[in-house]
Amino acid sequence: MLDADFFRRWMTTAAASVEREAERLTALDSAIGDADHGSNLQRGFRAVTAALEKEAPGTPGAVLTLAGRQLISTVGGASGPLYGTLLRRTGKALGDTAEVGAEQLAAALREGVDGVMKLGGAAPGDKTMIDALLPAADALASGFAAARAAAEEGAEATTPLQARKGRASYLGERSIGHQDPGATSSALLIAALADTAEADGE
Ligand SMILES: [Mg+2]
């Protein structure tokens, strides 16, 4: 079972991953966006880490809800509301139980991804974070490693796509040939979840 501490470690592991990969995310965003995705997420996840230390939420749902709120208020552009919605909706779906199972998390994450699709109006294949998140949410029922692999595959599969949503869509065909920064950071978030689970022997 996964408790609040597990979810706190997921978020701090994600924050560390964003610190490590910020330059790569910004480089991807400079190719088809406005070169701020790494620095934006860095600011957001630093705020998440600080808030989790200060407030120490006691349930999995409360951890994700707090993290989502921080991302909405500190990450600019479209990414903040989208990532914030993902975590808040997932957190809300987990309710206020002290521990959740992997299947419950899979179902909640799927609700979070649905919330992102609704907010951004993006569908699979539009070259967005959905291309990593949706396969990951679907694969999570088969395990954390499967979710990680599905997210990474989904992110890599955005390279040949033409963007149909977000700033990259303004580039039209010139968006082809670049991996989507949002799908890439989404895969980092899922990899952080798998890392946290593996460290726990889940
Ligand atoms: Mg950007």
Side-chain angles (χ1 to χ4, degrees):
M1 293 294 273
L2 314 170
D3 60 8
D5 186 57
F6 175 92
F7 283 82
R8 190 183 55 75
R9 282 181 288 122
W10 174 18
M11 290 298 109
T12 54
T13 302
S17 175
V18 164
E19 293 287 344
R20 271 196 315 273
E21 301 285 338
E23 275 182 37
R24 180 174 158 244
L25 293 173
T26 287
L28 290 172
D29 195 30
S30 69
I32 58 170
D34 55 354
D36 63 0
H37 194 55
S39 50
N40 279 347
L41 283 188
Q42 224 171 359
R43 183 171 59 248
F45 274 95
R46 283 175 187 170
V48 167
T49 302
L52 289 174
E53 275 173 22
K54 195 168 156 228
E55 296 188 30
T59 65
V63 169
L64 293 187
T65 304
L66 175 62
R69 212 162 58 224
Q70 294 303 315
L71 294 178
I72 287 171
S73 61
T74 58
V75 180
S79 301
L82 292 168
Y83 266 107
T85 295
L86 174 71
L87 296 184
R88 284 179 61 180
R89 284 288 294 272
T90 302
K92 196 177 168 208
L94 290 175
D96 57 3
T97 51
E99 295 187 323
V100 300
E103 276 178 27
Q104 200 182 344
L105 174 58
L109 185 63
R110 182 54 209 253
E111 283 193 40
V113 175
D114 285 344
V116 175
M117 286 197 282
K118 199 173 273 180
L119 178 65
D126 284 347
K127 197 179 181 102
T128 71
M129 51 198 287
I130 293 305
D131 292 320
L133 290 175
L134 188 60
D138 287 341
L140 188 54
S142 314
F144 292 101
R148 180 216 305 268
E152 282 170 6
E153 238 171 73
E156 284 166 16
T158 63
T159 301
L161 299 176
Q162 178 173 335
R164 288 195 292 251
K165 285 286 165 189
R167 189 179 287 266
S169 66
Y170 308 156
L171 294 176
E173 287 182 1
R174 282 182 293 140
S175 64
I176 294 171
H178 304 280
Q179 187 166 317
D180 182 63
T184 306
S185 58
S186 294
L188 292 181
L189 182 69
I190 300 299
L193 171 64
D195 286 346
T196 307
E198 278 160 20
D200 271 17
E202 288 280 347

